[in-house]
Amino acid sequence: MFATPAFAQAAGGGAASALTSFLPLILIFAIMYFLMIRPQQKKMKDHRAMVEALRRGDQIVTQGGIVGKVSKVQEDGMVEVEIAEGVKVKVVKHTITQVLNKTEAAAA
């Protein structure tokens, strides 16, 4: 039973080979962070800011595709939306996907 030179060379280098074996995993995680996780967090932050800035008179679109005008913003996470003349619906704030027309802030 003789050891060939290839097996004899592969036996050494413990710490360096451990680092090189984890390097691809570290690179994959870094790429995933910059291409997927970070943009998703930014998108969530922008959506949260848009929802918090809602006020009466804004024209909005919900996730279900309903277009309406905000008639009342409630503190419990609900918004009252007028979808037709005299027809008002309560909608959860976080289901609002887009603000079409923003109303101007009242002059102080």
Side-chain angles (χ1 to χ4, degrees):
M1 302 260 186
F2 295 107
T4 62
F7 286 126
Q9 288 178 354
S17 71
L19 179 64
T20 57
S21 67
F22 283 116
L23 189 61
L25 290 173
I26 294 169
L27 289 174
I28 288 171
F29 181 75
I31 290 169
M32 292 286 282
Y33 175 76
F34 284 108
L35 292 180
M36 295 179 73
I37 297 169
R38 192 169 165 226
Q40 183 66 24
Q41 287 176 341
K42 184 181 183 310
K43 186 177 178 182
M44 286 174 52
K45 182 180 175 184
D46 291 344
H47 182 262
R48 191 175 313 118
M50 177 197 68
V51 167
E52 293 301 320
L54 280 176
R55 60 177 166 255
R56 188 171 178 232
D58 291 347
Q59 190 172 6
I60 55 127
V61 178
T62 65
Q63 285 179 349
I66 297 173
V67 179
K69 187 176 281 193
V70 176
S71 61
K72 186 177 183 183
V73 179
Q74 300 174 349
E75 295 297 321
D76 60 349
M78 301 289 280
V79 177
E80 194 172 285
V81 179
E82 185 174 3
I83 57 175
E85 192 172 324
V87 179
K88 294 183 180 177
V89 179
K90 284 188 179 179
V91 176
V92 177
K93 273 187 181 181
H94 292 286
T95 61
I96 296 171
T97 58
Q98 188 177 7
V99 177
L100 298 176
N101 295 332
K102 293 218 37 100
T103 56
E104 302 299 322

